[in-house]
Amino acid sequence: MNNTVYSNDNTCAGGALFFTSSNVEFLRTFFSLNSIQSSHEGASCLGGAVFIQNSIFIMNDCNIINNFIEPLVNNMVISGGGFYFVNSEGVINGCFFISNSLKFASDMRGGCLLIMSSKVNMSDCVLSDNCIFCMSAYSTCLGGSLVSYNSDACIYRCNFTNNSVLCPNYVCISYGGAAFITQKSEFDSCIFSENKVSSSYQSYG
């Protein structure tokens, strides 16, 4: 816990852990206060706690709390305040994703989770108080807790509560206080409560 990646590279990923071409299992694992900070203009920062690509993964009864990406300059893309999955397949069960965040960048996607070109089954999880917080004009802010791009995401019996995309006093494009989804997704027996988008410009969901 409490790991931070400081980078001046063009791409930085995985504040605590980085996996590629792996079989990964997390059981009753606690991720807290892991982060990425970068000073490279135009950089991409991915997965405040964990980055997983080209892998098979299982997560059971884990806590992902207060992880974040907070760049030192504004002009960059940051995604997945807690976890970032790309070209991977896995199961997430009984996990708590609480108070993870993205802050102060020009392009922010997935306050807690970003799932890209992957197949994920997610069940009996709580996603609460995750946030994207914008402090600059003309930013793009998508999915306060979750973004799923071009993925097969099946989400069962999950609770999305008080997640948000906040762009006070700025012209921002903001979508999905709880989640932003493209491609195929399935939600079954989930609860969405008190999620919000706040922006002075385009706000949806």
Side-chain angles (χ1 to χ4, degrees):
M1 65 181 67
N2 198 24
N3 299 291
T4 301
V5 171
Y6 296 95
S7 175
N8 192 35
D9 294 333
N10 189 51
T11 300
C12 43
L17 298 169
F18 182 106
F19 295 94
T20 184
S21 303
S22 303
N23 289 322
V24 183
E25 182 172 1
F26 299 114
L27 176 61
R28 294 186 295 275
T29 305
F30 190 86
F31 297 90
S32 180
L33 296 174
N34 302 289
S35 63
I36 297 174
Q37 295 182 325
S38 175
S39 59
H40 191 289
E41 287 279 353
S44 295
C45 296
L46 314 172
V50 179
F51 178 92
I52 296 176
Q53 70 176 1
N54 303 322
S55 297
I56 297 172
F57 65 90
I58 299 174
M59 296 176 63
N60 282 313
D61 301 319
C62 296
N63 290 275
I64 299 89
I65 300 173
N66 287 323
N67 303 283
F68 62 93
I69 303 176
E70 184 176 343
L72 304 177
V73 293
N74 173 259
N75 181 29
M76 60 178 61
V77 177
I78 61 176
S79 302
F83 275 64
Y84 188 106
F85 304 102
V86 58
N87 296 324
S88 296
E89 181 174 346
V91 175
I92 304 171
N93 180 65
C95 296
F96 289 81
F97 299 89
I98 311 295
S99 298
N100 303 282
S101 62
L102 302 175
K103 302 177 182 178
F104 312 144
S106 58
D107 192 322
M108 298 181 282
R109 301 166 189 247
C112 179
L113 295 169
L114 191 136
I115 301 167
M116 171 77 78
S117 302
S118 297
K119 183 176 182 179
V120 177
N121 284 356
M122 185 174 182
S123 60
D124 301 303
C125 294
V126 173
L127 298 92
S128 179
D129 299 296
N130 302 290
C131 182
I132 293 177
F133 192 76
C134 174
M135 287 294 290
S136 61
Y138 308 109
S139 295
T140 297
C141 306
L142 308 177
S145 68
L146 167 70
V147 167
S148 175
Y149 283 123
N150 301 320
S151 296
D152 185 353
C154 298
I155 301 172
Y156 307 120
R157 301 180 303 279
C158 291
N159 192 340
F160 295 79
T161 303
N162 200 38
N163 302 288
S164 56
V165 176
L166 304 177
C167 300
N169 305 316
Y170 290 94
V171 176
C172 299
I173 298 173
S174 307
Y175 300 133
F180 179 90
I181 309 291
T182 69
Q183 203 65 17
K184 178 184 176 182
S185 295
E186 178 181 345
F187 290 86
D188 188 353
S189 303
C190 294
I191 296 172
F192 292 84
S193 176
E194 299 184 68
N195 304 286
K196 64 182 176 181
V197 173
S198 175
S199 173
S200 60
Y201 186 50
Q202 294 182 7
S203 301
Y204 301 93

